[in-house]
Amino acid sequence: MIRSIIRSTGRYVPDNHVTNHDLIEIIDTTNEWIVQRTGIEARYWVKEGDDVGTSDLALNAAKIALERASWNPEELDLIVFATMTPDVNVPGSGTILQDKLGAKYVSAIDIRQQCTGFLYGLEICDAYICSRKAKKILLVGAEYQSRHLEKTTANRDTAIIFADGAGAVCIEALETEEEVGFITSILHADGNFSDALKFGLPAKKSGKVITKSIVENKEHFPYMDGKSVFIQAITRLPKLGEALLQKAMMSIEDIDMVVPHQANLRINEAFRERMKIPKEKMYNNIQRYGNTTAATIPIAFDELLEKQMVKSGDTIMFIGLGAGLTWGGVIYKII
Ligand code: UT7
């Protein structure tokens, strides 16, 4: 039987470390508010003026993952790039990364599934592998969100949460009779909530790309109805978690580690309590990274492997919800 295996991982964040105390200088907020409401203590933002794009963050993470897999970029069959902040609107960052890696003629696709980009990406990679269309795939989740943020009190909800970073995984086809690698997944979308978290530019329903009113209404900055997204997350994620376990014919005791999307520590705590997951079986790092959207899960998984907090034979649940709405989960067994 053919299975999708994560052969290696890598992560990268820019050097510029921004603490809550740094934000107090520019936004009417407090360290206590941010920590209590989100769990975030610090994040990394590309230094203003630095000449980098999202693909550069991805490149650094990808190089580490490729080196750990001992793969030459030209060996790849596919690059899947999950981001909501591509270098430019067209072409996709996947093709830009392909060129920077020197992965000559390797096909590359971008996916725009925001916080669940990595989960949708895993599903796509597994489909390519199981249909024998690819054997070696590079999947990255990368965001350069700080350049889009309105770093003022008026939009402090988004300014304190979103951050920059990249995570990459090398996914390989493996012939085996063992039930390892990608076990199962569930993905959902509900466009009825598309207005709850959105970023208007460069597309605009009216067809006008930039008008005076867009700038006046600040549609060029991300907009988030935090309360609405929060409520959706704490109600939908436990239902999804249960459904995922049922689909995999597992119980929560069979899961060795939960790696949730890092949007808000309170969301993850609510999920953990509802699912009766012991504290040591859930990994959070939002405290140090903020919300790096498509990059949160691969960054966290890379850290877990590095710290040897997960090992061969462990079963992992990846889960998350974000803009779209999209939400989903994957069960994965480490080879
Ligand atoms: O990954 C993408 C998916 N996104 C999410 O999952 C985000 C989900 N939502 C959230 O994480 C939370 O809703 C936020 C962290 C964004 C906001 O937390 P909240 O507990 O929902 O706060 P709130 O928006 O209801 O605001 C409560 C109060 C308000 O003041 P009043 O009206 O009670 O006087 C806000 O003006 O806190 C105020 N406030 C702040 N105060 C200090 C909002 N943002 C800040 C801030 N610093 N940064």
Side-chain angles (χ1 to χ4, degrees), residues 237-259 268 270-282 314-319 330-331:
L237 288 177
K239 283 186 197 149
L240 180 89
E242 294 292 353
L244 196 56
L245 288 172
Q246 206 171 9
K247 193 172 174 193
M249 290 187 289
M250 289 179 181
S251 70
I252 196 66
E253 287 75 30
D254 296 318
I255 302 295
D256 297 292
M257 189 62 75
V258 177
V259 186
N268 293 352
F271 175 74
R272 194 183 65 73
E273 280 168 21
R274 277 282 300 279
M275 298 287 297
K276 300 191 169 53
I277 300 164
K279 264 200 157 112
E280 65 279 9
K281 284 194 175 182
M282 179 179 274
D314 280 0
T315 302
I316 313 294
M317 178 189 278
F318 299 116
I319 196 154
V330 171
I331 291 187

Side-chain angles (χ1 to χ4, degrees), residues 2-5 120-132 134 137 139 171 180-185 330:
I2 197 150
R3 291 273 177 190
S4 306
I5 300 298
Y120 271 74
L122 280 178
E123 169 112 328
I124 289 169
C125 294
D126 185 57
Y128 265 82
I129 283 177
C130 292
S131 59
R132 298 181 190 272
I137 307 177
L139 167 63
I171 301 181
V180 287
F182 189 102
I183 305 289
T184 196
S185 65
V330 171

Side-chain angles (χ1 to χ4, degrees), residues 28-60:
D28 180 13
T29 187
T30 61
N31 176 52
E32 291 69 31
W33 193 97
I34 302 173
V35 172
Q36 278 169 17
R37 298 293 178 123
T38 70
I40 301 169
E41 292 164 24
R43 75 287 288 140
Y44 297 88
W45 280 352
V46 170
K47 204 155 170 239
E48 258 173 59
D50 278 3
D51 185 23
V52 299
T54 310
S55 62
D56 295 299
L57 307 184
L59 179 65
N60 287 304

Side-chain angles (χ1 to χ4, degrees), residues 47-200:
K47 204 155 170 239
E48 258 173 59
D50 278 3
D51 185 23
V52 299
T54 310
S55 62
D56 295 299
L57 307 184
L59 179 65
N60 287 304
K63 277 183 176 169
I64 296 168
L66 286 166
E67 198 184 308
R68 288 178 177 165
S70 302
W71 288 3
N72 180 317
E74 288 186 28
E75 285 175 59
L76 291 167
D77 300 307
L78 174 69
I79 294 169
V80 180
F81 200 123
T83 186
M84 69 167 194
T85 49
D87 297 57
V88 289
N89 191 38
V90 174
S93 289
T95 54
I96 301 173
L97 176 64
Q98 182 252 30
D99 180 50
K100 287 179 177 168
L101 279 171
K104 212 170 178 190
Y105 303 143
V106 171
S107 62
I109 53 176
D110 272 36
I111 50 173
R112 302 271 180 93
Q113 295 313 112
Q114 301 72 245
C115 307
T116 54
F118 186 76
L119 301 170
Y120 271 74
L122 280 178
E123 169 112 328
I124 289 169
C125 294
D126 185 57
Y128 265 82
I129 283 177
C130 292
S131 59
R132 298 181 190 272
K133 289 197 164 79
K135 285 184 177 163
K136 291 184 175 181
I137 307 177
L138 174 70
L139 167 63
V140 297
E143 305 286 358
Y144 177 0
Q145 303 182 112
S146 61
R147 75 192 141 144
H148 298 296
L149 298 174
E150 183 187 11
K151 295 166 189 155
T152 68
T153 301
N155 209 342
R156 57 189 173 178
D157 265 20
T158 54
I160 57 143
I161 282 184
F162 292 111
D164 306 334
V169 295
C170 288
I171 301 181
E172 186 172 26
L174 182 78
E175 289 287 351
T176 175
E177 290 315 308
E178 279 179 66
E179 204 188 22
V180 287
F182 189 102
I183 305 289
T184 196
S185 65
I186 297 179
L187 299 174
H188 289 301
D190 186 352
N192 193 31
F193 287 85
S194 57
D195 282 341
L197 177 44
K198 64 180 178 188
F199 181 19

Side-chain angles (χ1 to χ4, degrees), residues 157-158 161 196-197 223-233 264 266-267:
D157 265 20
T158 54
I161 282 184
L197 177 44
Y223 165 79
M224 181 169 74
D225 178 351
K227 263 208 162 23
S228 163
V229 180
F230 190 97
I231 290 165
Q232 293 308 317
N264 187 316
R266 287 189 294 143
I267 292 176

